[in-house]
Amino acid sequence: MEFLFEITYDFLKFLEKLTGFSYQEINIIIWFFLIPFTWMFLLDKIVKKSYFKIVFVLVVLIILIAIPDFENFANWAFNSSVDFLNLFNTIGSNYKISSVVICLFIPTLIYGLLIRNAYFKKR
């Protein structure tokens, strides 16, 4: 778990240098916007419509317009996410393990289910 956390952390730090966004902003952009958008894309593929993508993009645009300072929003959202992941410490986890399970394993499982249904399931 530690290895996967460190690889992910290093990749996000690389993106930070590449894009000029902060580490917190990169996290929020990826896990709150990009990953859910790709899920909406796959859901649209499953239902053969574009409803999910369109609604998601509209909601994100409204949120981004309503946020006066994305950096402050990203810091708040990131810190709230850290607090959430630290809640699992009470059951014997720690921040790194919880991060890998919640932020990597669960999204990967969701991707697997969505991709299977979007591209490989007989209709």
Side-chain angles (χ1 to χ4, degrees), residues 14-34:
F14 168 75
L15 290 177
E16 178 183 33
K17 290 177 185 170
L18 186 69
T19 65
F21 285 109
S22 71
Y23 176 80
Q24 290 82 357
E25 290 169 319
I26 294 288
N27 263 277
I28 298 311
I29 290 167
I30 290 172
W31 274 276
F32 285 39
F33 298 111
L34 291 179

Side-chain angles (χ1 to χ4, degrees), residues 54-93:
I54 291 169
V55 170
F56 183 80
V57 168
L58 289 174
V59 169
V60 167
L61 286 175
I62 290 168
I63 290 169
L64 291 176
I65 289 168
I67 296 170
D69 183 346
F70 185 75
E71 183 179 3
N72 284 337
F73 168 76
N75 288 334
W76 169 81
F78 179 82
N79 290 330
S80 296
S81 298
V82 169
D83 291 343
F84 171 74
L85 292 170
N86 281 326
L87 289 174
F88 294 95
N89 294 353
T90 60
I91 60 169
S93 187

